Structure formats: C-alpha cells, structure tokens
Amino acid sequence: MTFAIPTSPARALDALGPAGRRRAAASASSLFASDVSVPSPALDPVPVVLGPEEWEELSAGLVQRARLLDALHADLYGPRTVLSSDVAPAAALLADPAYLRTATSIPSRGGTRLLALGCTVQRAADGGWQVLADHTDVPDGAGVALELRRALSRSAPELYSSTALRRLHPFMDGMRAALHQRSRADGRAGRAVVLTDSTDPLRAFDHHWIANLLGAPVVSVTDLRTGSGSLSLRLPGADPDPGDGIDALVRLVPSALLDPLDLGPTPLGGVTGLVEAARCGDVEVLNPLGAGILENPALARALPDLCRQLLHEDLLLRPAEDDPADPATAPGAAPPSTAPSLDPAGGDALVERPVRLQLLVMAGADGFEVMPGGVARTADASPETLKDVWVAVPPSSSAGAETHDGAGTTGASRTGGADAVTGLSPYPAMTRSVGSDLFWFGRYLERVDSTARLLRTVLDSTNDLSAETGRAPHTALAVLLEATTDVTTTFPGFHTIDVHDTGAVRDEIRSLLHDTGRPGSLAQSFAALAHTTRGLRDLVSDSVWPSISRMRGRIRALGGADEPLEQGLTDMVDGCLALSGAVADSMPRDLGWDLTETGRRIERTSALLALLKAALGGRRSAAAEARVTAAVVAITESGATYRRTYHAAVQPELLLELLIGDATLPRSLAFQLDRLGAVLDRLPERTPAVELRAPLTALRSRVGAWQPRELLTPRDEEPGSPTGLVAEAGAAMESVRELSTALENRFFRASESTSPWGFDDV
C-alpha cells in the first residue's frame, strides 16, 4: 500500500528545488535536540497524505479502540469481570507488573477514564489497517506533530498553502477546553498541571509542547506534595496554602514511578501519597494510574473477542499478526505501507520508504476524537526520518481547513464558548523547579555571553601580541591567558602552558571552545543553557529557538580545524544578544522574570569581579598595563562610554572607576547591584529575609568604599606584586556566593541548590 502525494503538493515540492528541500529538511530537526552532543532527528519535507475516505476509516477504528481500552481499564480496576471470562488472558494480565492492584477503585470525574491514547499503525498488504502498538501509560506525539507541521509550513509555504488539509490547532483547542472543564471541582475553576521527567530530548520536547498546548504548567515530582488526601504545589519561598491545590494531574511519567508508598521505591523518588490522593477524589490523574496494563501484548491479541464482549461490535482495526515490536521483520508479517520520501542516499529524487504512523486520540467534551495528523517514521535500514501526516479534506468541504496553524489562530469559532465557560483562575506564579530553571537560565545565558566575549578578545589579543617583540607584549599576553583560566575556572589551563608555544595556546583555546566535558568551557556552558531552556518550553517564546539552534550550530563548527574562531565567537555573542532580546520582549514581568534577572545579575557581577581581579590585580610596566587594560575595555564593551566620559587614553584607574561606580553602564558593578536590590525587593516574602539582604548590603558597602587608586596600589615594590584589588575582589565574590546560596536555599528545593548541568563558581 502506497500513500500518494496530491497533485498540488507535488508541484509545490518541485518548485522548491534542491535548496528549498534541504532547507525544509533541516528546519525543525535542530529544534528537537537540547545538547550539542545529542544528534537531532532528520525531517523529511515530503508529507504522508491521507485521503478523506481512508482517514474516516482509520479515525473510526481509533475511536473505537479508545472506547474499548477505556472500558477495559474501568473493568480491570473496578469489578474485574473480564478476568473471570474465557476471553481475556487473565494469567498474563495478573502476572504483568503494569497491573497496579493498589490503583483499584480510584474514581473518575469525566465520562471517560483515559485522557489520551497513542497508536502506531500501518497499512497491511491487503489495504487494511494494522495496529502495531498502543501507548496508554505515557501517550505522546502531539508536540512533535505540531513542530513538524509548523516547520514545514514555514519552510515550504507554497506546498502548505496549496493543499486543503485539516489543521491541528482547532483539535488542541477543543482538547484544552475539555481538560479545563473536566478539572473543575465544586463549581470552581480547576487547576491542571503536567508532570514530566523525561531525559530523552525528543520526548522532553514533545512533553513540554503538549503542556503548552493544553495550557497547563509543567511540574516535576519534587514540585508536588500530598496531605489530607489532596495534592498541592510547592511554591518558591513559601509553604503552599489551600488555594494551591491541584485538581488534575496530566502525567507523562510511567505509573510505576509515581508513588513510593503504594507502588514501591522509584528512581524519581515519586510523590508519596499520590495514590491515596487520587482515591480520595480530590485530584484526578490522567491517564489514570495503571493504564500501562492496556499495552499488554496478550491483551492486544485478545482485543477482537473483548470488543465483541464489551462493546458488542467487531473490532475495526486488527492487531499486528506477529511481534508488534518489529512487524516488518517478523516471520510472515505483512509488508508495511510506503510513502514517497527523499532519497536517504542523497540527491533530489523521491523514493518509496516504508513508514509507520504515530497518531493520537484524546477525550473531548463529546467522547474521543483523533488528532487530524501525526508523525510518520520511516522503518527501513536507512537512518530514521520524521514525516508530517496530512489529512486532506473533500474538495467540496472546507471544514477544518480554514484555520491556519500559527500563533495567531486559536480555533475560537469552535472552542471559544467552552474556554469562556471554564473561567480559569490564574496559576501560581512559579514552582520551585521551574523557578530554579529560570534562575539558572539567566546565569547560563550570561556565562555563555561573558565567556564568548572573553575568548574573542583574548584571541584577537593573542594574534596581535604574538607578532610583537619585547617584554611588554609577552607579559600582557601571559596576563590575559592566565586571566582566561581564572575567570572560566578551567584550571590548570594557561597557568601551565608556555605562552610562546603558539600550538599549545591554540589547542587550549580550542578546548575551551568545544569540549563539552570540561566544566567552564564555552561548549559546556552552552549545553547547560540549552538543556535548561528545554525545560522552559512552555514559558519562553518560540522566538528563542532559532537563536538556540544557530548557536548550537556555531558551537559544533568551532570544533573544526579550519573554522575561523573569531567569527564563530562573534556569532555566539550575537546569538546571546538575540536570545536576550527575545526573552526581554516576550517574558511577563512576574516572578519568572525576576528570577531570571537575578541569575543574570549575579553571574555578570561574579564574572566582572573575576575579570578585574585576574587582569588588574597586579601592577606591570606601563606598556603591558596599557595592553591589558585595552583588552578589559573590549571585553566589557565600555570603550565608547569611557571615551565620552574621560576624553583620555585608557588608564587602569579611570577604567576601574567607570566599571565600579557608573550606575548607567549596563556592565558596571553599580548597575548590577542596583538591579539586584530592586529584584530582591519584589520577591515573594512575608517578611524581608535577613540572609538575602545581608550579603547584598555587605557587597554594596564594600564596593561603595572602593577607591580605584588605592585598589591598584601594589603591596610591595616587586614587579607583578598583587594589588589591593585582589583581596577586595575576592571578598566581594564571597558575598556574591553567599547571596546566591541564600536565594537557592530559600526559593528552590534543596536538591537543586547546585545545578547538575554546570559548575557553580559563585
């Protein structure tokens, strides 16, 4: 069985040409990965198109399957009548660890127990549909499907706009309204959250997209607490009150990992008492606990008979005849359906490749409904690619095709009334884990920016100073290289390298650029930034992802032997500026913004103090000092302000005065401390916390008393002897560390006091 391409998409695909096809193939794949070391899945721009008739056949079968599995779950965790019949594989079900006996008798609020069902299907040789696998415990795929659709619509707009197909956002709008209506409790607006803890980048991407589409915040197990049969959120800094209760928990974590009290110890720790809270009825878990039993292979083979027993209908979609894990290679298996695809060997010709469709069924206000699209995965020996699934509409009908998949459409004509009925109350400002991610997002963004600026200037200075002769250039070069090690804390680094050995210097710089396993390197800091940003997909604007994608590409390219490093670092700085702008223009000025701003100001303060201490903490000859000071000006972007302020050649004392006390300069210490004070005053506290104010007060007092000339006075007459700046900057950095620790202890959970994705040098 071959899926066809309608005439108009085929013409549009030809119109793209080779360059357009490559652009479409690469447009979304870089968005899925969150780490420079994780390869992104490939995107095939040729969609799988299902005609109206075959979609009606397939969707009817999927809805019936969802009804059947929903009835089975209600029976297996209720009266268990099917276990006493000759139809159900009772022995296999009772022996399956996915059958959670402690989850019996848990009530359900809606007309269905299942919220979602994922199905992997394919066409058999006789043209009928086969179900290869059901995904009931952790159904996913909606987020990836939306991203594929959006990437293809933007990369190939002619292909997209020339085809009458059913859009995806109206479906998700309806599901969101149904979820909010279902989570209502006692006549009040309910609160739903999405629980996820996936370490796989693609699944984590999908889960955060799903949360975004459902309009519910993402939480982790450590954000939740139970008590008196209820489930509530742990909020930053304060104990939750009764208003922080959760009415619906959409879980994207396997059932067995959720409650160590009733289900046994888990690697995630779980939420102690969650099963009891669900049994009390104050919170509904979706999909319900124990839904993984519906994926039992023996149960799948018995579904035709069970369908007749429970629904009094013939099963429309038959299960796979052989091993559902690999039907293409099992003995006697029917050959899978194929679809036109780009040739994986290269070139622009279309070839037929076997595909499997991953589709999603969700419970709406009037029963189950199938998302009109999904993800197709190639299933041959070549590398797997992802394909969008399009559902064509009849030529005489425009239903479902009039709403464009984009940020400006919500399908209001279909779901606006339902959304209006829900009357949702606002969610709490932030959970502890999300607050921690926002704090570290700000820190990692600044860390990448400051490291890229430092390395770019050091590279430029190395190129210039290496070509000069004399003692002063050699001294200045040694100071700048050792300062690079001190600021990035990548010891021993340049402290053990001869600055005359240009090869060793270049190798160390390349290691700082692309070694993701080296804490403090640019690559490691960016990997931490990208990983943290991935956890904020439901909070940050879509405009951040192109910047992340471009920066990831530059980091990977910096590892090449022939790559111009200076231009690559300039691109990284530009990426940080674009990312900062995207965040500043899209993030609400609420607690999330304040936590991000706090992280940025703490990191920038620490980096500036470390730079001043390392670069200006020893007196050298006037010629060497001039070169080092000029490099500090370039790193801190203070040259224009310095020239307008002093109308003089760059001098260490004047530069230090500017970087310490000019509150109008965005990279000065005074500017950072003013912003930190303003942010701390806005943080949610019943009373001002002494442990937060004391370090900042001490830091302000110390910095306010600094006199540049005194700071730069050496302790003795020996060349290179340390100045007073070394001790003063060190003490100031200790105050910054105390402030950072106090913030984390007060507002974030203890397990996240030190980020696992990088080093904490403050």
Side-chain angles (χ1 to χ4, degrees):
M1 179 69 184
T2 300
F3 297 106
I5 302 183
T7 303
S8 55
R11 288 200 307 267
L13 190 65
D14 291 337
L16 283 173
R21 294 185 189 185
R22 288 191 295 270
R23 182 176 63 252
S27 59
S29 55
S30 61
L31 299 180
F32 293 137
S34 64
D35 193 299
V36 294
S37 61
V38 178
S40 302
L43 167 62
D44 189 325
V46 185
V48 171
V49 182
L50 299 175
E53 295 80 9
E54 61 182 339
W55 175 250
E56 289 301 321
E57 174 191 354
L58 178 57
S59 60
L62 291 172
V63 168
Q64 182 199 54
R65 196 174 191 89
R67 291 169 47 225
L68 174 59
L69 293 177
D70 187 75
L72 277 170
H73 187 278
D75 186 85
L76 290 172
Y77 289 96
R80 292 186 267 195
T81 58
V82 296
L83 294 180
S84 60
S85 69
D86 296 332
V87 176
L93 294 176
L94 293 174
D96 193 334
Y99 188 27
L100 306 179
R101 291 163 177 78
T102 55
T104 57
S105 303
I106 293 179
S108 175
R109 293 179 186 165
T112 64
R113 300 179 70 89
L114 296 180
L115 174 68
L117 165 66
C119 285
T120 302
V121 302
Q122 71 176 16
R123 280 283 198 188
D126 60 2
W129 290 101
Q130 279 188 328
V131 177
L132 306 180
D134 295 309
H135 309 283
T136 53
D137 203 38
V138 185
D140 48 25
V144 174
L146 261 294
E147 188 60 39
L148 289 174
R149 179 68 57 86
R150 183 171 60 172
L152 191 55
S153 67
R154 292 178 176 178
S155 301
E158 183 179 352
L159 170 65
Y160 187 70
S161 61
S162 63
T163 307
L165 71 152
R166 296 184 60 179
R167 311 303 185 183
L168 301 183
H169 272 292
F171 168 82
M172 295 308 305
D173 290 339
M175 296 306 103
R176 179 173 62 250
L179 173 64
H180 290 166
Q181 186 66 31
R182 182 168 182 164
S183 63
R184 294 176 66 88
D186 301 326
R188 62 176 175 83
R191 175 175 291 144
V193 298
V194 176
L195 175 65
T196 180
D197 199 288
S198 178
T199 57
D200 177 75
L202 185 58
R203 297 196 76 181
F205 171 92
D206 182 78
H207 292 174
H208 281 80
W209 239 122
I210 291 174
N212 194 13
L213 294 169
L214 292 177
V218 172
V219 299
S220 63
V221 291
T222 50
D223 291 324
L224 304 173
R225 62 166 48 168
T226 59
S228 303
S230 63
L231 183 68
S232 59
L233 289 170
R234 297 178 184 269
L235 303 184
D239 293 331
D241 56 46
D244 299 321
I246 296 171
D247 301 295
L249 178 70
V250 180
R251 62 170 186 86
L252 297 175
V253 174
S255 296
L257 303 182
L258 288 179
D259 189 345
L261 180 64
D262 283 307
L263 305 177
T266 77
L268 300 181
V271 184
T272 303
L274 178 61
V275 172
E276 182 61 25
R279 183 174 289 110
C280 290
D282 287 341
V283 60
E284 184 175 24
V285 180
L286 302 166
N287 272 348
L289 294 167
I293 188 62
L294 303 177
E295 301 174 9
N296 185 282
L299 182 65
R301 291 190 290 270
L303 285 181
D305 293 331
L306 288 169
C307 186
R308 285 187 289 269
Q309 177 181 340
L310 294 177
L311 303 184
H312 308 291
E313 301 170 1
D314 289 328
L315 189 65
L316 299 178
L317 300 181
R318 67 178 187 268
E321 298 174 0
D322 295 280
D323 180 10
D326 193 6
T329 59
S337 48
T338 62
S341 308
L342 291 183
D343 190 346
D348 300 316
L350 295 181
V351 298
E352 293 294 329
R353 297 186 66 184
V355 294
R356 300 167 184 168
L357 309 186
Q358 183 178 348
L359 304 174
L360 187 71
V361 189
M362 294 193 71
D366 301 318
F368 289 104
E369 185 177 349
V370 186
M371 184 173 71
V375 180
R377 297 175 181 268
T378 56
D380 53 19
S382 299
E384 182 185 69
T385 60
L386 306 181
K387 299 166 67 69
D388 193 9
V389 176
W390 289 5
V391 177
V393 298
S396 60
S397 172
S398 60
E402 69 282 356
T403 306
H404 191 278
D405 287 315
T409 51
T410 61
S413 61
R414 173 180 169 183
T415 60
D419 281 335
V421 171
T422 58
L424 291 177
S425 59
Y427 285 112
M430 207 65 56
T431 63
R432 293 188 179 188
S433 63
V434 170
S436 178
D437 282 345
L438 287 166
F439 175 77
W440 280 99
F441 169 80
R443 294 200 58 176
Y444 288 136
L445 177 57
E446 283 298 319
R447 190 169 297 178
V448 171
D449 179 75
S450 63
T451 303
R453 292 176 185 274
L454 173 63
L455 291 174
R456 181 179 61 176
T457 302
V458 168
L459 270 173
D460 289 338
S461 301
T462 300
N463 295 334
D464 294 337
L465 298 175
S466 297
E468 299 183 31
T469 58
R471 184 178 181 84
H474 171 76
T475 300
L477 180 59
V479 170
L480 291 175
L481 292 177
E482 291 177 5
T484 300
T485 297
D486 293 343
V487 173
T488 59
T489 67
T490 51
F491 299 102
F494 288 109
H495 287 281
T496 59
I497 293 177
D498 183 359
V499 297
H500 292 102
D501 188 346
T502 56
V505 170
R506 203 75 174 178
D507 289 343
E508 175 67 10
I509 290 177
R510 285 193 178 277
S511 174
L512 293 177
L513 292 175
H514 68 81
D515 188 352
T516 57
R518 186 175 186 182
S521 71
L522 180 64
Q524 185 272 338
S525 296
F526 174 75
L529 170 66
H531 187 102
T532 303
T533 310
R534 187 189 76 189
L536 302 172
R537 280 193 181 273
D538 57 320
L539 295 178
V540 298
S541 166
D542 290 344
S543 57
V544 307
W545 305 114
S547 297
I548 291 288
S549 178
R550 287 191 294 269
M551 293 167 71
R552 178 168 39 243
R554 296 307 297 161
I555 285 287
R556 287 172 174 165
L558 286 173
D562 300 327
E563 178 69 17
L565 302 182
E566 292 82 357
Q567 183 57 49
L569 288 168
T570 297
D571 291 342
M572 289 298 294
V573 172
D574 292 345
C576 289
L577 291 173
L579 190 55
S580 298
V583 171
D585 281 350
S586 62
M587 182 175 286
R589 276 16 181 204
D590 56 9
L591 177 58
W593 170 263
D594 287 340
L595 293 176
T596 303
E597 185 75 355
T598 301
R600 296 190 67 176
R601 299 307 157 195
I602 284 178
E603 188 68 30
R604 188 173 287 189
T605 301
S606 176
L608 180 58
L609 287 169
L611 175 64
L612 296 177
K613 176 183 176 183
L616 304 180
R619 297 310 299 262
R620 293 100 187 172
S621 67
E625 278 193 348
R627 288 167 168 80
V628 172
T629 306
V632 174
V633 168
I635 294 169
T636 57
E637 296 277 356
S638 55
T641 304
Y642 183 94
R643 290 188 292 272
R644 289 195 303 268
T645 303
Y646 298 110
H647 304 284
V650 176
Q651 302 174 27
E653 290 84 356
L654 296 180
L655 177 62
L656 195 57
E657 179 181 69
L658 184 72
L659 293 178
I660 290 175
D662 189 346
T664 67
L665 185 63
R667 294 188 177 274
S668 72
L669 282 176
F671 187 92
Q672 313 314 315
L673 299 183
D674 285 350
R675 288 295 182 93
L676 273 174
V679 170
L680 289 182
D681 289 340
R682 293 195 300 265
L683 293 180
E685 299 178 283
R686 294 186 176 91
T687 57
V690 175
E691 63 271 22
L692 292 181
R693 270 59 182 186
L696 183 59
T697 300
L699 186 58
R700 278 176 157 169
S701 298
R702 180 178 295 277
V703 173
W706 282 354
Q707 298 297 323
R709 187 172 297 276
E710 295 179 4
L711 291 176
L712 296 178
T713 301
R715 294 179 178 178
D716 52 53
E717 299 300 325
E718 292 295 326
S721 62
T723 64
L725 180 60
V726 174
E728 286 294 319
M733 292 171 67
E734 181 60 33
S735 294
V736 179
R737 292 189 187 94
E738 293 177 6
L739 175 59
S740 177
T741 301
L743 278 165
E744 294 177 12
N745 289 341
R746 186 166 183 83
F747 290 99
F748 315 135
R749 64 175 185 258
S751 61
E752 292 188 6
S753 292
T754 300
S755 171
W757 307 116
F759 65 95
D760 184 1
D761 61 347
V762 301

